[in-house]
Amino acid sequence: MALSEQETVRREKLQKLRDLGINPYPADLFPVNHTSKEIKEVFEEGKKVIVAGRLMSRRIQGNASFAELQDSQGRIQVYFKRDEICPDEDKSKYNDVYKRLLDIGDFIGIEGELFLTKVGEKTIKVKNFTLLSKALRPLPLPKVDAEGNTHDEFNDPELRYRQRYADLVVNPHVKEVFVKRTKLFNAMRQYFNDAGYFEVETPILQPIPGGAAARPFVTHHNSLDMPLYMRIANELYLKRLIVGGFDGVYEFSKNFRNEGMDRTHNPEFTAMEIYVAYKDYNWMMEFVENLLEYCAIQVNGTTKATFGDHEIDFKAPYVRVTMTDAIKHFTGFDITNKTEDEIRKAAIEMGIEVDKTMGKGKLIDEIFGEKCEGNYIQPTYITDYPKEMSPLCKEHRTNPELTERFELMVCGKEVANAYSELNDPIDQRERFEHQLKLAQKGDDEATEFIDYDFLRSLEYGMPPTSGLGIGMDRLIMFLTNNQSIQEVLFFPQMRPERKAVELTDEEKAVLALLQKSEKMTLSELKIQSGLSNKKWDKTIKGLTKHKLATVTKTDEGLFVEVV
C-alpha cells in the first residue's frame, strides 16, 4: 500500500508514541461527563469538566496553545498551557506529545476547568489530556487563505457518499440531515403509537416477491434448496396480520428493488406501511394530512419546508383531484370509458412513447406521469385510479371502472400511496391472474407471481381495511431540501471503487498524451510517445490491463481512447 508523505509521518509518530510507553489505542473507559453543547448552554466559570473528541485545529504559541475539540454535539475551544499540564520539571507531555506527536483528527480526552477568554470565548483550560485514538490518515479539511477564500472543500459527491465517515466529520451540516431523518421516524412512530397501532416486523427474505410490481433481488437458501427474494414490499404480510385480528399494524421496512438508480431511487430504500381495520381511503386521506403536518412540525418546527425554488406547506387539509380530472385538465383528453386502443392512440398523439406490452393501466400511468405529475407542487391527493392500475385495491363504490386509491404528490413526486384494500378473495384472484397475463405479454412492471397463501388468508376473511405506504427517503428529502436521495442515506449504493494503480513512467507519459485528445490512432500515439517497439508494447498492454485505455478497430484503423 503506497502511503502519502503525511501518512508516513503519522505512522512514524505512532511508533514514537509507543516508544514513550503511550498506547495510541487504549482500551480503558474514559469518564466523559460533559459535551460541548452542554458546556455552552450551562456555562459556569471554574467548573471542572471531562470531555472527549477530535482535535480539529491548533494555534501553538510557544508554551501555550489554543485548539478546537469536536465531539458529537459540536466544537469547543480548549487551552493548553505547558505549566498547567506539566507542573513538574518534566515538560515532555506538552513539548513532545502534544506539540510534536499529536495531529489534527486525533481523538483525545481532556480534563480541565471552564473559563472565559478576554474576548468572551467559552473555553476549557486543560489540566490533563489522554490520547484515545491516533488518526493515521489526515482529514480532508478545507483551508481558508489570508483573503478569506476557502480551498480544498470536501464537496465532491462521489467522495462524500463513499467516505461518509469523513463527510460527517468535516461537513457538520450533513449530520443535521440525519438528525432530522431520525426525528421524522420518531415523530411518525409516536403518532401511530398514540393512535393505538402496533409496530411489527415481517420477513425480508420471501418465497414470493409480492405487494408491488418490481424486479426483485434473488438469492438461494442452501438448506431448503430454494430461491428466496429480498422484500420488494411488506404489504401482503401486514394484511395477513389484519386477517389475524390486529386492528392496526405498521412497519418501517427496508425494501429492495433490482432496478435503476437516479436522484430519487436507490436499490435499497425505506418505506413505512400501515394498515388499519374498519377504515377506508377517505379516512386515510385525513389521517395522512394530519400525520404529515405533525411530522413537519416535529422535524423543522413549522409546517413549511423549502425544496429547491419552492416553499411547501404541509399544513392540512390537502387539495383532492381525481386522476380523470387531472388528465383532462392538463391534456384535454377524457379517459372515461375509453378502450385500450383509444388511450394508446391518444398517448401517441401527445408524444408519449408507448409499446405493445402496455395495457390500459400502464398507458394511463404514462400519460399522467408525462403530462400531469410534475405540475403538483403543494401536497395534493390524486384519487380514484383506474382499476387496471391497482391490482390490490378495492373497486370504487360508485364507479366499477375505478378503484378507491389515492397518491400524495409533492413537488411533482409521489410521496404516499393508499387504498381501500381489496378484501374480496375471488376478485383478488382474478386481478392477480390479469397481472400474470400482462407479465406474460411483456409488461415488466406487472407481477409474475401469485401469492396463493395470501389468497388463502383472504378466504378466512379480512375486515374492511385502509392501507398506506410512504417513501421515507423521499419525504425526508422534501423536509431537508435535498434534491438527491444519496444525501439522505448514510451509505447509498455506489459502483465499486476503482483501486489506485501504480503506473510506470512510460505509462504515465502515454496516458497524458492520450488525455489531451481522449482518442487517437494507435500509430500516431506510438509516434508521439517516442518509445521503442518493446517498451511501446509493454506500455500499451499495461494501460489496457489497468482499464485506463482501450484499443478499438474500425474501418479507419486502430484507435486508442481513454476509458
Side-chain angles (χ1 to χ4, degrees), residues 154-163 486-487 494:
F154 192 62
N155 55 16
D156 178 359
E158 170 82 11
L159 288 174
R160 289 182 48 243
Y161 304 154
R162 198 178 294 283
Q163 299 182 34
Q486 285 84 5
E487 292 288 354
M494 305 288 290

Side-chain angles (χ1 to χ4, degrees), residues 157 206 217 227 300 388 399 479 538:
Q206 303 180 352
F217 287 94
N300 287 328
E388 293 82 359
N399 185 341
L479 290 173
K538 186 177 180 181

Side-chain angles (χ1 to χ4, degrees), residues 117-171:
T117 65
K118 292 179 180 179
V119 295
E121 180 81 14
K122 295 173 181 177
T123 307
I124 304 172
K125 182 187 293 183
V126 180
K127 298 294 186 180
N128 191 21
F129 72 89
T130 304
L131 175 61
L132 301 177
S133 180
K134 181 70 181 166
L136 299 183
R137 185 184 293 266
L139 290 168
L141 288 166
K143 301 172 183 63
V144 181
D145 63 22
E147 285 76 40
N149 301 312
T150 303
H151 304 277
D152 299 329
E153 289 183 280
F154 192 62
N155 55 16
D156 178 359
E158 170 82 11
L159 288 174
R160 289 182 48 243
Y161 304 154
R162 198 178 294 283
Q163 299 182 34
R164 183 66 86 186
Y165 37 84
D167 185 32
L168 290 164
V169 175
V170 303
N171 294 319

